[in-house]
């Protein structure tokens, strides 16, 4: 308590980066009449690092003059660390998906392709900016179109359909043979689409 009382906030902060620009910004915020929330990385007395979120608001007298302020400080180190771990995990997962040998398609309940990895884009010869505009039925070979609805119903009913073979027709008109494993995606008990892993088996078939 003795180390805090009688001191101004700037004296209590020990941010890692506290250059003139940051100092001026904080001083400006403290002179404003607007509540502010900002985050700073601090150093403890023992030299360890932590992140703090500061919320500050002014209070005024009956004439509208600012006579002081109230601030709360919260240690958010664990929350930011957890967020960083999640973001890193997502990045690693995305890199893994993008470098998969097999194609991966995410489709909604009507068969519209919402997302695809690089292998799927190459397999079907489609561009990423066309996702959301193409239905998987547009890429199925004419000989297989009659089975699309049957497969979708089975996936919805059973939750998955694994390792079935089919034929596709690429954007340029090439015919390719593929092996597909499809699993249903549910949200709050409602079927919203499927996740399909597709392997090119053209060379094996031929």
């Amino acid at each position: 308590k003795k180390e805090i009382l009688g001191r101004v906030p700037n004296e209590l902060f020990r941010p890692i980066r506290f250059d003139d620009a940051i100092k001026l910004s904080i001083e400006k915020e403290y002179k404003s009449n607007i509540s502010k929330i900002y985050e700073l990385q601090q150093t403890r007395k023992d030299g360890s690092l932590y992140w703090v979120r500061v919320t500050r608001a002014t209070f005024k007298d009956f004439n509208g003059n600012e006579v002081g302020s109230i601030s709360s400080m919260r240690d958010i180190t664990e929350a930011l660390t957890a967020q960083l771990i999640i973001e890193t995990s997502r990045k690693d997962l995305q890199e893994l998906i993008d470098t998969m040998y097999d194609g991966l398609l995410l489709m909604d309940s009507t068969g519209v392709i919402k997302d695809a990895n690089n292998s799927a884009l190459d397999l079907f010869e489609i561009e990423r900016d066309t996702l959301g505009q193409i239905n998987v039925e547009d890429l199925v070979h004419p000989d297989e179109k009659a089975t699309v609805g049957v497969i979708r119903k089975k996936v919805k009913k059973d939750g998955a359909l694994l390792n079935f073979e089919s034929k596709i027709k690429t954007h340029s008109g090439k015919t390719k043979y593929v092996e597909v494993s499809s699993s249903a995606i549910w949200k709050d008990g409602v079927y919203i689409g499927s996740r399909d892993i597709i392997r090119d088996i053209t060379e094996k078939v031929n």
Side-chain angles (χ1 to χ4, degrees), residues 2-73:
K2 292 180 181 179
E3 295 180 359
I4 296 176
L5 295 180
R7 301 175 66 183
V8 296
N10 287 357
E11 295 176 344
L12 301 176
F13 293 150
R14 300 185 201 350
I16 299 303
R17 179 172 167 261
F18 197 54
D19 55 26
D20 291 340
I22 292 180
K23 184 177 180 180
L24 182 62
S25 175
I26 292 177
E27 290 176 348
K28 184 177 179 181
E29 289 173 1
Y30 268 76
K31 291 178 181 178
S32 71
N33 295 322
I34 303 173
S35 298
K36 292 288 184 178
I37 299 176
Y38 49 92
E39 298 174 358
L40 293 171
Q41 190 178 32
Q42 309 284 314
T43 55
R44 296 186 178 92
K45 284 186 175 181
D46 61 6
S48 60
L49 305 179
Y50 71 106
W51 281 90
V52 63
R53 177 176 292 131
V54 182
T55 304
R56 177 263 178 189
T58 60
F59 53 89
K60 304 175 183 180
D61 60 18
F62 291 109
N63 297 319
N65 300 313
E66 182 181 338
V67 295
S69 66
I70 183 170
S71 300
S72 66
M73 300 174 65

Side-chain angles (χ1 to χ4, degrees), residues 18-19 21 58 97 132 135 144 151-152 158 161 177 199:
F18 197 54
D19 55 26
T58 60
I97 291 173
N135 193 293
E144 304 286 337
I151 292 173
R152 187 178 298 145
D158 299 337
L161 184 60
Y177 293 84
R199 173 166 293 184

Side-chain angles (χ1 to χ4, degrees), residues 124 135-148 166-170:
F124 290 102
N135 193 293
V136 70
E137 292 187 19
D138 300 329
L139 302 173
V140 173
H141 193 277
D143 296 346
E144 304 286 337
K145 285 190 181 292
T147 66
V148 174
S166 185
K167 285 192 296 183
I168 65 169
K169 188 174 183 179
T170 69

Side-chain angles (χ1 to χ4, degrees), residues 7-203:
R7 301 175 66 183
V8 296
N10 287 357
E11 295 176 344
L12 301 176
F13 293 150
R14 300 185 201 350
I16 299 303
R17 179 172 167 261
F18 197 54
D19 55 26
D20 291 340
I22 292 180
K23 184 177 180 180
L24 182 62
S25 175
I26 292 177
E27 290 176 348
K28 184 177 179 181
E29 289 173 1
Y30 268 76
K31 291 178 181 178
S32 71
N33 295 322
I34 303 173
S35 298
K36 292 288 184 178
I37 299 176
Y38 49 92
E39 298 174 358
L40 293 171
Q41 190 178 32
Q42 309 284 314
T43 55
R44 296 186 178 92
K45 284 186 175 181
D46 61 6
S48 60
L49 305 179
Y50 71 106
W51 281 90
V52 63
R53 177 176 292 131
V54 182
T55 304
R56 177 263 178 189
T58 60
F59 53 89
K60 304 175 183 180
D61 60 18
F62 291 109
N63 297 319
N65 300 313
E66 182 181 338
V67 295
S69 66
I70 183 170
S71 300
S72 66
M73 300 174 65
R74 180 182 179 187
D75 186 340
I76 58 171
T77 306
E78 290 187 6
L80 286 184
T81 300
Q83 181 180 342
L84 179 61
I85 292 173
I86 292 173
E87 290 176 353
T88 301
S89 299
R90 285 176 177 169
K91 181 180 178 182
D92 291 342
L93 177 60
Q94 189 60 52
E95 289 179 355
L96 176 62
I97 291 173
D98 286 338
T99 56
M100 283 174 56
Y101 173 77
D102 294 333
L104 175 65
L105 293 181
L106 295 180
M107 295 177 285
D108 67 14
S109 59
T110 65
V112 174
I113 301 173
K114 309 301 288 186
D115 201 0
N117 69 351
N118 293 334
S119 293
L121 297 177
D122 292 341
L123 176 64
F124 290 102
E125 299 176 352
I126 56 178
E127 300 295 330
R128 185 167 296 279
D129 59 9
T130 63
L131 298 178
Q133 306 170 32
I134 301 175
N135 193 293
V136 70
E137 292 187 19
D138 300 329
L139 302 173
V140 173
H141 193 277
D143 296 346
E144 304 286 337
K145 285 190 181 292
T147 66
V148 174
V150 175
I151 292 173
R152 187 178 298 145
K153 288 180 181 178
K154 187 169 182 60
V155 171
K156 182 178 180 180
K157 178 183 177 182
D158 299 337
L161 184 60
L162 306 179
N163 303 322
F164 63 91
E165 296 185 3
S166 185
K167 285 192 296 183
I168 65 169
K169 188 174 183 179
T170 69
H171 184 68
S172 67
K174 297 177 184 175
T175 296
K176 293 183 180 180
Y177 293 84
V178 294
E179 181 180 87
V180 184
S181 289
S182 180
S183 58
I185 301 174
W186 301 85
K187 184 176 182 180
D188 299 328
V190 178
Y191 173 74
I192 61 172
S194 67
R195 182 184 300 107
D196 291 30
I197 296 176
I198 305 167
R199 173 166 293 184
D200 187 351
I201 59 171
T202 305
E203 291 186 3

